Amino acid sequence: MSKQEAGENHHGLAPWCEECPLRRLDLFEDFSPSELGFMQGFKIAHRVAQAGATLMKEGSADGHLYTLFTGWAFRYKLLPDGRRQILNVLLPGDTIGLDAVIGDPPYYSVQAATDISYCVLDAIRKLPVLFRDHPSLALKLTRIALRERQGIDRRLTLTGRCAAEERIASFMLDAYDRLAARGLVRDHSFLLPMTQNQLADALGLNIIHLNRMLRRLRECGLLLIQDREARLLDLEQLRRLAPIHGGLTHRRPLL
Amino acid sequence: MSKQEAGENHHGLAPWCEECPLRRLDLFEDFSPSELGFMQGFKIAHRVAQAGATLMKEGSADGHLYTLFTGWAFRYKLLPDGRRQILNVLLPGDTIGLDAVIGDPPYYSVQAATDISYCVLDAIRKLPVLFRDHPSLALKLTRIALRERQGIDRRLTLTGRCAAEERIASFMLDAYDRLAARGLVRDHSFLLPMTQNQLADALGLNIIHLNRMLRRLRECGLLLIQDREARLLDLEQLRRLAPIHGGLTHRRPLL
DNA sequence: CGGCTCTTTGAGCGCACTCAAACTTCGTGG
DNA sequence: CCACGAAGTTTGAGTGCGCTCAAAGAGCCG
């Protein structure tokens, strides 16, 4: 696994917060002008990184907070013997490295699944000011943390109590819903830039078993994965199969 | 499952925040006088509930926030077909119902495992004031949420990637460490007020299989559970068996 | 072309499950 | 006092889901 560097990018495509296209999505909550003004000073860089790059590594904090702007990433935990659990998948608008709020170094790592771009927020210097002078943003931050907890709770329930096919169906519907809210779904299909190895680590399954279950779902006409693209062939049956779905439809806070 | 009522208790044993014995534990962070003063007004009742009582039910919010004072409780999610995943175990000092911060009703339920007592905080009325006037408490709240996420991440990793015996060992060591910090461990043993059914639902295991694994651990001289009491017979071997343990040793925020 | 990563398939094992039932404990009412 | 039922624990028997091991095929890059 070659380590790739994250690159700085101050020019060109990095938008000002006021014109951030993410904020225009219905998915995210509105911002007051004063909030926006603070965020503009909070943000200190816009960076890009290549697929496979490690954005954050277990045990080492850099005092920054990121907001994913384009692309996919995932947060995971490694066990000493090499086993990996992917804790959640990060999509545009998601916050990375909330633990900077605690001050403790993170107990997990974050890796880019595609080429990505992201905003860098100066957590260590600006968070105290944020909490002191912008209670509405502080509340937003807390709510982001609680949303994340909700997502992990779902994943835990799925992993602890559901069969392989149920997990896959729930995962795909979840990705479908989240991507649809970002305008990244066309005709019931979306880009799925994860290897089956990563998918398996996210679902708590063995890669070989996952592969077989994907085949079965394909043969049943529910789901097709091909060339990094997932196509949900029968949404209704998928929803019937998935024990957990929906419920994340409210507007979400965005930093 | 008989539904039992939670009882109000304004007299006698309910301590003022200033003299709260929990705050004296090294486990929890110190409080400034101003924080303490606010908390005193934040707290509107001290209640008790019987083992088995439901403190919080999926979908219904009462605008309150609780801090568990004595006893055990657990937070869980039910699937439509009755399967249950216990998301985490709550011990004295833990916060219940953080989602009141969001305003959304909770997507999970909370049940008392023993007779318990707990503080009731007037979230819906006082949280805005807290965020506006007490940034240090707001930060504390956020950090509590992030601590919870950390715990669930651990549980997810355990459930997704670890074998039954590893899960049991990690769970027991976790309970051991948390209870020890509260002075509730004597001679490597502690009260474990959970049925095997509940344990199984917490670990993502079948109750019968759990029972057999407990027997095996007992026969290997690692662990003994009897009469609602757990005794860790060989801490060293348990730690060697558990893929995840420790790391929660820092002082924790308390509301 | 070889070397790499990822996907796919086969064969077979075993961990964790289901089904079934005995036993213990405890509270309740006859 | 014992009978009874409810809830929890324990054990046996047998199945199957999801695992490991092994290897072939597919796509990509140097």
Side-chain angles (χ1 to χ4, degrees):
Chain A
M1 198 167 296
S2 67
K3 189 166 295 183
Q4 286 146 335
E5 286 305 308
E8 200 88 15
N9 171 13
H10 280 295
H11 55 79
L13 297 169
W16 297 101
C17 291
E18 294 118 35
E19 8 184 281
C20 179
L22 282 178
R23 300 196 189 285
R24 281 202 282 277
L25 293 173
D26 282 339
L27 172 64
F28 297 111
E29 295 170 356
D30 294 328
F31 260 41
S32 75
S34 109
E35 288 174 336
L36 260 181
F38 179 83
M39 287 307 300
Q40 190 63 64
F42 196 5
K43 174 175 174 178
I44 57 175
H46 193 89
R47 289 196 190 137
V48 297
Q50 292 183 1
T54 297
L55 294 184
M56 193 161 292
K57 203 161 179 185
E58 183 173 345
S60 66
D62 65 353
H64 291 157
L65 199 61
Y66 306 126
T67 297
L68 190 56
F69 183 60
T70 57
W72 288 46
F74 54 84
R75 193 167 70 88
Y76 63 95
K77 174 132 188 65
L78 283 177
L79 294 181
D81 60 8
R83 285 176 287 184
R84 174 180 65 175
Q85 174 67 42
I86 291 185
L87 301 164
N88 58 19
V89 170
L90 301 162
L91 298 181
D94 286 339
T95 303
I96 304 176
L98 266 180
D99 306 71
V101 176
I102 297 196
D104 293 347
Y107 54 92
Y108 55 81
S109 305
V110 177
Q111 200 175 61
T114 63
D115 289 353
I116 61 172
S117 68
Y118 57 100
C119 303
V120 182
L121 308 179
D122 190 2
I124 203 165
R125 199 173 318 163
K126 290 286 179 50
L127 267 184
V129 185
L130 184 152
F131 270 87
R132 177 157 45 80
D133 298 339
H134 295 270
S136 69
L137 283 177
L139 185 56
K140 212 166 259 211
L141 206 72
T142 308
R143 294 170 58 223
I144 289 175
L146 289 172
R147 288 282 180 153
E148 270 207 37
R149 184 183 71 157
Q150 184 170 0
I152 308 163
D153 281 340
R154 284 171 74 124
R155 176 82 35 83
L156 175 56
T157 305
L158 214 52
T159 306
R161 301 275 74 150
C162 298
E165 290 177 336
E166 297 175 315
R167 299 185 208 178
I168 298 172
S170 286
F171 182 93
M172 292 301 161
L173 285 172
D174 193 46
Y176 178 82
D177 290 338
R178 291 171 67 194
L179 289 167
R182 289 163 175 82
L184 298 174
V185 167
R186 286 193 74 80
D187 193 27
H188 291 184
S189 66
F190 53 86
L191 190 79
L192 180 68
M194 296 178 71
T195 67
Q196 291 191 10
N197 208 329
Q198 290 163 351
L199 265 180
D201 283 351
L203 296 172
L205 293 171
N206 177 289
I207 178 179
I208 295 179
H209 190 59
L210 171 71
N211 184 282
R212 281 193 239 276
M213 292 302 104
L214 286 178
R215 169 160 51 129
R216 180 183 296 181
L217 290 176
R218 184 191 336 130
E219 288 169 354
C220 291
L222 294 192
L223 172 63
L224 181 66
I225 298 184
Q226 214 170 28
D227 298 330
R228 315 195 102 206
E229 187 178 68
R231 174 177 298 266
L232 308 192
L233 300 169
D234 190 336
L235 274 176
E236 195 185 336
Q237 271 205 64
L238 278 174
R239 292 200 201 282
R240 213 173 311 127
L241 178 57
I244 308 180
H245 58 267
L248 295 175
T249 46
H250 310 294
R251 300 179 81 184
R252 316 177 100 264
L254 171 70
L255 259 200
Chain B
M1 197 169 293
S2 67
K3 190 167 291 183
Q4 285 147 337
E5 286 305 308
E8 199 88 13
N9 172 13
H10 279 295
H11 53 77
L13 298 168
W16 297 100
C17 290
E18 296 117 33
E19 10 185 278
C20 178
L22 283 177
R23 301 199 186 283
R24 281 202 281 278
L25 292 174
D26 282 340
L27 171 64
F28 297 111
E29 295 170 355
D30 293 329
F31 259 42
S32 74
S34 111
E35 288 174 334
L36 260 180
F38 180 82
M39 287 307 300
Q40 190 63 66
F42 197 4
K43 173 174 174 178
I44 56 175
H46 192 88
R47 290 198 190 133
V48 295
Q50 292 184 0
T54 297
L55 294 184
M56 193 161 294
K57 202 159 182 189
E58 184 172 346
S60 66
D62 64 353
H64 291 157
L65 199 61
Y66 306 126
T67 296
L68 190 56
F69 183 61
T70 58
W72 288 47
F74 54 82
R75 194 168 68 89
Y76 63 97
K77 174 131 187 65
L78 283 178
L79 294 182
D81 59 7
R83 286 177 286 183
R84 174 180 63 174
Q85 174 67 42
I86 292 185
L87 301 164
N88 58 20
V89 170
L90 301 162
L91 298 182
D94 286 339
T95 303
I96 304 176
L98 267 181
D99 305 68
V101 176
I102 298 196
D104 292 346
Y107 54 92
Y108 54 80
S109 305
V110 178
Q111 198 175 63
T114 63
D115 289 353
I116 62 171
S117 67
Y118 57 100
C119 303
V120 182
L121 307 179
D122 190 3
I124 203 164
R125 199 172 317 164
K126 290 289 178 51
L127 269 183
V129 184
L130 185 153
F131 271 86
R132 175 159 47 80
D133 298 339
H134 295 270
S136 69
L137 284 176
L139 185 57
K140 212 167 261 211
L141 206 71
T142 308
R143 295 169 60 224
I144 289 175
L146 289 172
R147 288 284 180 151
E148 269 205 38
R149 184 184 71 156
Q150 183 169 0
I152 308 162
D153 281 340
R154 285 172 73 126
R155 177 82 33 83
L156 175 55
T157 305
L158 214 51
T159 306
R161 302 274 75 152
C162 298
E165 290 178 331
E166 297 176 315
R167 299 185 208 177
I168 297 172
S170 286
F171 182 95
M172 291 301 160
L173 285 171
D174 194 46
Y176 178 82
D177 290 339
R178 291 171 68 194
L179 290 167
R182 288 162 175 82
L184 297 175
V185 167
R186 287 192 74 79
D187 193 26
H188 292 184
S189 65
F190 54 86
L191 191 77
L192 179 69
M194 296 177 73
T195 67
Q196 292 190 7
N197 209 329
Q198 290 164 350
L199 266 180
D201 282 349
L203 296 172
L205 292 172
N206 177 289
I207 179 179
I208 295 178
H209 191 58
L210 171 72
N211 183 282
R212 281 193 240 276
M213 293 301 104
L214 286 177
R215 169 159 53 127
R216 181 184 294 183
L217 290 175
R218 186 194 330 134
E219 287 168 354
C220 291
L222 294 192
L223 171 64
L224 182 66
I225 297 184
Q226 215 171 29
D227 298 330
R228 315 195 102 204
E229 186 178 67
R231 174 176 299 264
L232 308 192
L233 299 169
D234 189 336
L235 274 177
E236 196 184 337
Q237 271 204 63
L238 278 173
R239 291 199 201 283
R240 212 174 309 128
L241 178 58
I244 309 180
H245 58 269
L248 295 176
T249 47
H250 309 296
R251 301 180 80 186
R252 318 179 99 262
L254 171 71
L255 260 199

